[in-house]
Amino acid sequence: MSYALVVSEIRRGLFEDRNLDSIGFSNLLQRNITLLIPEGDYKINEKFVNNIIKVRIEESSFLNPLNMITALEKVINLKGNPDVIIFTLSSSGTELASYASGHFKLPLITDVSGYDKEKGIFLKSYYSDKIFGQFKLTDTGPFIITVRSGSFKDNAVEKASLPASETLEEIQISKNRTFIEYIEEDSTEIDITKAEFLLSVGRGIGNQDEIAGYEELAALLKAVISGSRPVIDKMWLPKPRQVGTSGKTVKPKVYFAMGISGAFQHIAGMKDSDCIIAVNKDPQAPIFQYAHYGIVADANKLRDNLKVIMKG
Amino acid sequence: MNILVFAKRVAAAQEEELRIVNDGQGVDLAKVPFKMNDWDNYAIEEAVRIVEKTGGAVTAVSIGDAESDDVLRRAIAMGAKDGFLIETSETIHDPNERASVISDFLKKESTPFDAIFTGVQSEDDQFASVGGILAARLGLPYASMIIGIDSFENGQVTARRELEGGLRERIKLTLPCVLSIQSGINEPRYVSIMGVRKASKVDRKIFPMNNYQENFSNMIEIIKWVYPEKKAGATMLTGELSNICKDVLGILKENGVCQ
Amino acid sequence: MGDNLAGVLTCIQCGKCTGSCPESGKTPFNIRVLIRKKQFQSVIAEGIPWFCTSCGACTIRCPRDVKPSEVIIQMRSLLVENGKIPLTIQKALENTFVQRNPWGRSRNKRASWTESVDFRIPHISETKDKRLLFVCCIQAYDPRCMVISANIAKILQKSGLEFGILGEEEACCGNEIRRIGETGLFEELQEENIAAFKEYGVKEIIALSPHCMNALKKEYGYHGIKIFHYTEVVSDLIKGGRLKLEGVYDKNVIYHDPCFLGKQNGIFDAPRIILNFINNLKLLEFSRTRENSLCCESGGGRMFYEVENSGQRNSDIRVQEAIANGADLIATSCPFCLMTLEDPAKEKELPVKDISEILMEVI
C-alpha cells in the first residue's frame, strides 16, 4: 500500500515540533503515514500517524546518514517503496535527505514551503525568499523532500485510532561516521530564549561601532540584546546572542528587530514572538511580512531618537 | 592531504530587488553582480588551512559558464593549487544533476582526493544537498554543517557539526569523506586584486560538462518563478521619527515590557 | 620595493612628521619610528599601519620628501596582499569589489538619491556641456550624506549650470581604497571610471567629496578633464551673480577644513567665500585652521575601522573648541568630516552642517 514515510527528528530525547510539518505534508498528499523513530520514550501524540516503526538505535546514531540508509533499506524491505520520504528542514534533516536521495537515486526537493496537490507543484525558496521556484517531478516518484517548519503543521490531525507499532531488527552501525559528544555553548552568557523583551540587531545597523548605541538603548528599555546571523558572523555580538535556525529560537513578548531584513533562517527563530516590531530602510524587507508593526527608517536614527526620549 | 573544493559563482542578490521576467520563465540577473558563493569561500579557506598543516594540495572545481573562472582564480589566490572548470552554459536546478556530473567527472578523470569540501549551501538555490547526494553516490561518509575541524590525520577527521539552538555535536569520520562547510567556521582571508592577477598565471583546466551527463536525466524541473506570497503584513508606523518613537514606546507598554 | 626603500633612506629622522601627525602621542602610532624601522627593514606590528588617517600632514611637512603617508600605503599593501587585514576593512574592500561601493549596497541603486529631487537629473550623455556631477558612494547611499547630492543638484539647477550624472555606471572613486593599500582594486575602479568619462566625452567634473576630488585630480593620471570640488564651483556661481543668496543667517559658524580639501589640495578660500557671502553669518575660525586644521580621523580607511586605544577623539576636541568659541554650528565640506564631527556634537546639541545645507537655507 502506498504510504508516506516520515523520518522523525529526535534531539536530546525531544520529538521536535517541526516533525508535525512532515506529518502535515503527508496528509496533504493523502497518504497513510509511517513514522520512523529511534526506540525510546518520547512525548509524542501517536494518533497523528498510522504506523510507527522503531529502530533499536541511539538518537545520535539514528540522525546519521550512514545508518539512516541502512534503516531505510530495512523499512523498504518490510513495507515496500514509500511514495515519499519526508525529513525536517534542519541541520540533520537536510543531511539525511540529501544522502538518502543520492543513495536511493530518488528526486529531492529541499525546503518545500508549499504544495499544489492538483498540479503536483512544490514551492521552494530561492535567494533567501526573494523569489520562489515552482518545481515538478519529471517522473511519478517516489521522492524525498524536506519541509519548511511552520508550513504544513496545521495539516497534522489526529487519526481515529492509535497506530500500529513495530520494531526493526537490529541494524549494523557504521564505523565510518561516529558520534562523540554533544557540545553546549558557553552557558555563562545570558540566555536570550528566556528574555521577555529582545532588542535584536542585524546587518542594517551598518558596522560594529553602532553596537554600543544599541546596548545603551537596550539598557534604557530593559531589553536583552540579540542579533541575526551576519552580526554574529562578524563577531559584533557573541554567538549565544544569535537568533535564527543556527542560533536560538525565541518567543519573547516583544521582539524588536532593528536593521534586520529577515532571511528565512532568522524568521524561523523569532516568528512566534507575541509582538514583532521591525525597523528597516528597505520597505521590501521580508521581515515586514512577519512583523506586527513596521517602520521604514534608518535603524540607527530610530535608535538615537528613542534614546533621547528615554533619557527624558 | 588532497582536498577538492567545489565552488560556485552566484548572483550577489542580497541587496537586489529581483525581477521575474518572461511570464515566470526567468529571473532578470543582467544587472546583478556575481561573486563566489559565501559558504564556498569558507570551504576553500578551511581546506587551505588544513593543507598548510598537513601538506598536499587543494584543488578548486567549479561548474558553470566561462565566467566561473573568476571563482577559480579567487580560490587559487587563496591558496588552492589548481582550478578545474566543468564548463556549461546551462543553469542546473536539480541538485542530483550537479552531484551526478561531479561523480562522473571524478571517475572519468580519476581525480585523486582524500576529502571533498562543499559549502553547506549556495546563496541562489539553497538546496544544501549536493554534498550529501555526491557522498552517497560515491559511497563515502558525509557530514554537513561543519563549524569546526579538530583534527584531520591518520585517515580520520574529528569535526563539530552545528545543530539547532546553539547545540553542536562532535563526530568522527573516516577518510576519504565529503564535508559541507558552514559559514563562520573561520575568517576567510582577504583576496587582493593583485593576488587574483597573480593567480591568473596558474593554468586552469576546462572540461566540457556534457562529457559527464550521459548517465543522468533530470529528476525535477522548474516550471515557473513566482514572488513570495504577501502575508497580512505589518501595521506601518509613519510620520515624524519622534512620533514614531512615541508609538513604539506605547506598543512596548501595551505589551507589558516597558513602563 | 627598491625605490621605496631609497626614498625612506633619505629620512633624517627630524620628527616633523610625528610632530604634525594627528595620531601621535595618544596612540602607539609613531610615523617617524615607522620610517626608521623601514630603513632597517625591521618588523612592524600588523595593527600599526591602520592608525594612519591619510591626512597627509607628514608628507606635506617632510623636508626630505620621504612621503611618509605613502610609505604607510605601501606597508598596508603588503598586509592586503597577504590577506591579513582587519575584518571590517576586508568587508569594505570585498563590497567595493562586488558592488563598487564599500557598503555593499546595490550598484543598481546608486542613483536612488535622485528621487529626493523634484526634477529629472539627466544622464551625462544627454547633456551638452558634459559637466559631470561625481556623486560617489557616501553621497549616493548614506541617508545623512544623500542630502549633499540633492542640495548640490538643486543649487546647480537653480544657477542654470547644466550637469549630468553617470548613475549606476559610476564606480567608487577609490581614494580610500588606494589608501587602504588595495592598489589593484583602485586601478580597476580608476579604469572603469576613466572609460566612462571617455565614452561620454566628460569635460569637467564636480566632485561632492574632497576625497573623490583628490583621487580624480591627482591619482587618475592625466585625463585632460577639469576637476573641481563643489565649493569651488558654487563660490564662482555666487561671485558671478548666478546664484543669489537672499536669506539671512544669524548664526556664528565655525568652519572645519577637511584635510583632503584644505591641506592636501589647497582649497581654503572657496568654502569661506561662500560662507562670507551669506547675510549676517559670522564666520569663526578654529585655533588650528587651514593648513594646520586638526584631522577628524575618518580618512585612510578609518571610516571602516575602529582603532583601539585612540584616547580622546579629535572630533571631540573640535566640538569642544567650537562651543568654547561661541559657535552655533560647525560647517564643513566633506562627508567624512560631517559624519565624524556630528557624532560627539550630537551629544552637545551642536549642529554640524555641510555648506550645501546652509546654502539651502538662504537661497
Side-chain angles (χ1 to χ4, degrees):
Chain A
M1 201 185 81
S2 64
Y3 68 103
L5 181 61
V6 170
V7 177
S8 61
E9 187 193 352
I10 303 276
R11 186 63 78 190
R12 309 201 100 179
L14 213 74
F15 184 77
E16 296 283 353
D17 253 3
R18 48 185 167 260
N19 288 309
L20 293 184
D21 290 287
S22 309
I23 291 168
F25 184 84
S26 315
N27 286 333
L28 213 59
L29 274 185
Q30 291 172 305
R31 292 292 188 277
N32 268 338
I33 304 168
T34 297
L35 182 73
L36 189 66
I37 195 165
E39 204 175 39
D41 189 18
Y42 313 112
K43 220 181 106 193
I44 60 173
N45 184 348
E46 297 193 341
K47 276 193 151 183
F48 277 130
V49 300
N50 305 91
N51 294 291
I52 293 182
I53 299 180
K54 294 179 177 168
V55 192
R56 256 185 210 132
I57 193 171
E58 297 277 323
E59 70 172 44
S60 54
S61 299
F62 180 76
L63 296 175
N64 173 336
L66 275 58
N67 300 327
M68 180 55 65
I69 54 166
T70 317
L72 291 175
E73 271 165 0
K74 298 240 184 220
V75 173
I76 291 165
N77 277 339
L78 196 70
K79 298 273 173 189
N81 278 328
D83 294 320
V84 57
I85 309 175
I86 309 168
F87 296 87
T88 59
L89 180 64
S90 61
S91 172
S92 288
T94 310
E95 196 182 56
L96 299 170
S98 59
Y99 205 74
S101 166
H103 182 82
F104 296 105
K105 299 213 163 46
L106 293 177
L108 170 70
I109 308 176
T110 55
D111 191 8
V112 172
S113 56
Y115 179 65
D116 181 334
K117 187 173 179 292
E118 304 294 305
K119 298 185 184 135
I121 288 174
F122 302 85
L123 202 62
K124 189 211 176 304
S125 161
Y126 265 66
Y127 297 108
S128 302
D129 288 5
K130 278 179 188 262
I131 53 172
F132 283 75
Q134 294 185 340
F135 278 91
K136 262 189 161 170
L137 304 173
T138 54
D139 208 341
T140 50
F143 62 96
I144 298 176
I145 59 168
T146 67
V147 289
R148 180 176 282 198
S149 44
S151 302
F152 303 103
K153 68 172 178 214
D154 293 346
N155 294 309
V157 286
E158 288 188 7
K159 316 274 175 196
S161 53
L162 275 172
S165 177
E166 56 195 303
T167 304
L168 282 187
E169 56 186 279
E170 204 111 354
I171 63 164
Q172 181 85 40
I173 301 287
S174 169
K175 289 190 179 69
N176 290 328
R177 171 173 158 176
T178 49
F179 172 83
I180 300 172
E181 60 181 340
Y182 283 126
I183 310 157
E184 295 267 17
E185 247 154 33
D186 185 3
S187 56
T188 54
E189 259 280 338
I190 194 150
D191 185 358
I192 58 169
T193 63
K194 296 199 170 74
E196 288 203 327
F197 180 14
L198 283 175
L199 176 71
S200 209
V201 294
R203 193 200 298 269
I205 67 165
N207 63 67
Q208 185 162 20
D209 302 347
E210 303 292 347
I211 291 286
Y214 285 93
E215 281 170 341
E216 206 186 318
L217 177 63
L220 290 168
L221 293 172
K222 298 196 174 60
V224 171
I225 199 158
S226 58
S228 63
R229 168 129 214 154
V231 167
I232 311 300
D233 274 356
K234 291 178 181 142
M235 297 176 196
W236 296 354
L237 285 175
K239 177 81 185 161
R241 300 273 178 160
Q242 187 184 340
V243 173
T245 44
S246 51
K248 303 266 170 64
T249 300
V250 296
K251 290 178 188 173
K253 279 187 182 170
V254 174
Y255 188 82
F256 194 178
M258 303 189 78
I260 294 175
S261 61
F264 169 71
Q265 286 79 356
H266 184 80
I267 298 290
M270 47 61 84
K271 65 181 186 324
D272 295 327
S273 307
D274 293 345
C275 174
I276 299 168
I277 310 172
V279 193
N280 204 286
K281 266 187 284 204
D282 177 7
Q284 306 297 326
I287 195 151
F288 289 129
Q289 293 169 35
Y290 301 88
H292 302 91
Y293 299 96
I295 302 152
V296 178
D298 180 346
N300 295 347
K301 281 199 175 149
L302 189 84
R303 171 199 64 193
D304 295 342
N305 235 301
L306 278 170
K307 268 168 38 182
V308 171
I309 297 178
M310 288 305 289
K311 283 177 183 166
Chain B
M1 205 65 73
N2 292 311
I3 306 178
L4 299 182
V5 187
F6 286 84
K8 186 176 177 183
R9 184 173 176 267
V10 295
Q14 192 89 41
E15 294 282 330
E16 311 291 333
E17 283 162 28
L18 295 180
R19 262 186 347 113
I20 294 170
V21 290
N22 294 338
D23 198 23
Q25 294 309 299
V27 180
D28 183 10
L29 296 174
K31 281 181 157 184
V32 181
F34 279 71
K35 62 174 188 107
M36 183 191 279
N37 177 39
D38 206 29
W39 278 269
D40 301 340
N41 194 31
Y42 287 95
I44 289 169
E45 178 68 35
E46 196 62 23
V48 168
R49 287 186 191 189
I50 290 167
V51 165
E52 278 168 357
K53 270 187 252 159
T54 65
V58 173
T59 302
V61 191
S62 191
I63 303 178
D65 58 13
E67 304 265 353
S68 293
D69 187 48
D70 286 354
V71 164
L72 298 178
R73 277 181 292 158
R74 192 186 152 86
I76 292 168
M78 288 174 80
K81 187 166 161 283
D82 288 303
F84 296 164
L85 175 63
I86 303 178
E87 195 177 0
T88 176
S89 55
E90 88 182 64
T91 309
I92 303 173
H93 290 293
D94 186 345
N96 267 289
E97 178 176 12
R98 195 174 283 275
S100 161
V101 164
I102 296 172
S103 65
D104 258 33
F105 168 82
L106 296 176
K107 279 172 201 156
K108 281 203 178 138
E109 309 303 333
S110 21
T111 319
F113 61 87
D114 299 290
I116 295 175
F117 285 7
T118 72
V120 160
Q121 61 176 335
S122 67
E123 292 168 62
D124 48 7
D125 64 38
Q126 303 173 299
F127 258 100
S129 307
V130 175
I133 299 172
L134 176 67
R137 280 181 171 264
L138 298 172
L140 297 177
Y142 174 62
S144 183
M145 298 291 277
I146 300 295
I147 193 69
I149 292 180
D150 300 336
S151 72
F152 210 99
E153 56 201 357
N154 306 327
Q156 280 186 332
V157 189
T158 308
R160 280 161 281 145
R161 291 187 62 231
E162 187 174 86
L163 305 172
E164 283 74 21
L167 189 66
R168 289 165 186 204
E169 68 171 329
R170 199 188 309 278
I171 56 170
K172 192 183 271 183
L173 296 99
T174 54
L175 291 173
C177 68
V178 180
L179 299 178
S180 295
I181 307 296
Q182 171 67 325
S183 67
I185 186 174
N186 52 41
E187 280 180 25
R189 68 198 67 194
Y190 179 69
V191 179
S192 71
I193 303 291
M194 288 300 184
V196 173
R197 281 185 204 158
K198 274 185 210 153
S200 306
K201 292 180 188 135
V202 175
D203 274 336
R204 282 90 64 203
K205 283 191 203 137
I206 299 175
F207 305 83
M209 187 174 91
N210 51 27
N211 288 354
Y212 319 107
Q213 279 180 300
E214 295 139 31
N215 304 319
F216 185 80
S217 56
N218 271 329
M219 295 176 170
I220 59 171
E221 57 188 351
I222 188 144
I223 303 297
K224 201 177 174 183
W225 297 103
V226 291
Y227 293 109
E229 209 175 298
K230 287 263 181 275
K231 297 269 166 65
T235 306
M236 300 307 285
L237 308 179
T238 54
E240 287 283 318
L241 207 54
S242 53
N243 288 332
I244 291 178
C245 287
K246 281 174 198 144
D247 291 345
V248 168
L249 294 174
I251 294 162
L252 297 179
K253 206 169 173 179
E254 242 171 68
N255 285 276
V257 293
C258 185
Q259 294 323 306
Chain C
M1 292 290 135
D3 304 348
N4 127 38
L5 189 63
V8 167
L9 288 175
T10 64
C11 170
I12 51 168
Q13 291 285 299
C14 69
K16 265 187 133 176
C17 49
T18 294
S20 55
C21 176
E23 298 303 293
S24 73
K26 64 175 188 166
T27 74
F29 185 81
N30 184 325
I31 182 70
R32 182 190 59 78
V33 170
L34 282 181
I35 300 293
R36 189 66 171 163
K37 284 189 171 173
K38 193 84 185 161
Q39 287 179 326
F40 288 106
Q41 294 182 287
S42 43
V43 180
I44 292 159
E46 264 172 33
I48 292 296
W50 301 109
F51 281 94
C52 173
T53 67
S54 300
C55 75
C58 52
T59 293
I60 294 163
R61 292 215 187 164
C62 177
R64 304 287 290 180
D65 201 24
V66 173
K67 297 192 175 71
S69 54
E70 291 293 317
V71 175
I72 291 290
I73 296 177
Q74 287 155 6
M75 288 176 186
R76 290 176 174 183
S77 293
L78 290 177
L79 297 172
V80 165
E81 280 205 43
N82 291 328
K84 288 180 188 163
I85 55 176
L87 209 57
T88 47
I89 288 187
Q90 173 167 346
K91 211 67 219 160
L93 293 177
E94 286 169 353
N95 285 337
T96 307
F97 177 68
V98 175
Q99 294 283 11
R100 294 315 196 221
N101 70 81
W103 294 281
R105 303 293 304 279
S106 168
R107 188 176 189 172
N108 297 321
K109 294 178 186 153
R110 208 171 167 95
S112 293
W113 65 272
T114 58
E115 287 160 19
S116 63
V117 178
D118 57 8
F119 55 91
R120 188 181 160 273
I121 299 174
H123 183 267
I124 185 72
S125 61
E126 304 166 52
T127 62
K128 211 165 79 248
D129 296 351
K130 304 298 172 199
R131 183 180 295 110
L132 175 70
L133 184 66
F134 194 86
V135 181
C136 217
C137 315
I138 197 163
Q139 286 91 193
Y141 295 108
D142 189 283
R144 175 65 186 97
C145 296
M146 272 160 87
V147 298
I148 302 173
S149 22
N151 289 346
I152 296 303
K154 287 174 194 161
I155 289 166
L156 296 179
Q157 160 92 354
K158 198 173 160 69
S159 314
L161 197 70
E162 194 203 28
F163 70 99
I165 56 171
L166 276 169
E168 58 203 44
E169 289 165 81
E170 180 189 279
C172 171
C173 69
N175 191 68
E176 301 312 287
I177 304 299
R178 180 169 115 57
R179 278 156 185 79
I180 286 170
E182 201 359 331
T183 321
L185 184 55
F186 172 74
E187 285 169 10
E188 267 195 12
L189 299 169
Q190 172 197 354
E191 282 163 19
E192 206 171 301
N193 279 326
I194 291 278
F197 300 160
K198 284 205 174 129
E199 184 181 348
Y200 300 115
V202 172
K203 291 191 182 127
E204 187 180 315
I205 295 175
I206 304 172
L208 292 178
S209 164
H211 292 250
C212 310
M213 179 196 70
N214 182 73
L216 294 170
K217 204 178 200 169
K218 302 208 295 209
E219 290 165 359
Y220 268 36
Y222 179 73
H223 45 58
I225 303 168
K226 281 184 268 180
I227 311 285
F228 300 102
H229 182 252
Y230 87 77
T231 53
E232 296 178 279
V233 176
V234 172
S235 64
D236 282 350
L237 288 172
I238 296 171
K239 282 191 284 185
R242 288 176 73 177
L243 183 68
K244 300 233 172 351
L245 310 181
E246 278 146 3
V248 286
Y249 206 77
D250 276 316
K251 286 191 168 125
N252 294 335
V253 176
I254 195 161
Y255 177 70
H256 165 84
D257 285 284
C259 298
F260 276 88
L261 192 65
K263 60 172 79 83
Q264 294 202 40
N265 283 287
I267 301 171
F268 300 109
D269 296 332
R272 289 180 169 82
I273 289 170
I274 298 174
L275 294 171
N276 278 323
F277 256 98
I278 297 171
N279 298 321
N280 293 17
L281 183 149
K282 190 177 170 213
L283 181 62
L284 307 176
E285 294 284 351
F286 284 104
S287 57
R288 288 188 63 175
T289 184
R290 297 176 74 97
E291 289 88 346
N292 294 320
S293 176
L294 181 64
C295 174
C296 78
E297 300 182 285
S298 63
R302 287 281 297 271
M303 197 70 182
F304 314 107
Y305 179 60
E306 186 71 11
V307 298
E308 277 171 38
N309 183 28
S310 57
Q312 189 183 22
R313 289 168 198 263
N314 289 352
S315 51
D316 269 337
I317 299 173
R318 276 314 230 196
V319 169
Q320 278 169 10
E321 191 186 339
I323 292 168
N325 284 3
D328 297 314
L329 64 101
I330 301 178
T332 190
S333 44
C334 165
F336 286 11
C337 298
L338 178 70
M339 305 267 284
T340 316
L341 292 171
E342 208 165 56
D343 195 36
K346 227 184 255 168
E347 283 170 23
K348 305 258 160 63
E349 289 175 18
L350 178 74
V352 181
K353 289 187 177 178
D354 183 77
I355 286 183
S356 71
E357 293 180 281
I358 300 177
L359 280 170
M360 289 310 286
E361 296 179 47
V362 293
I363 58 172

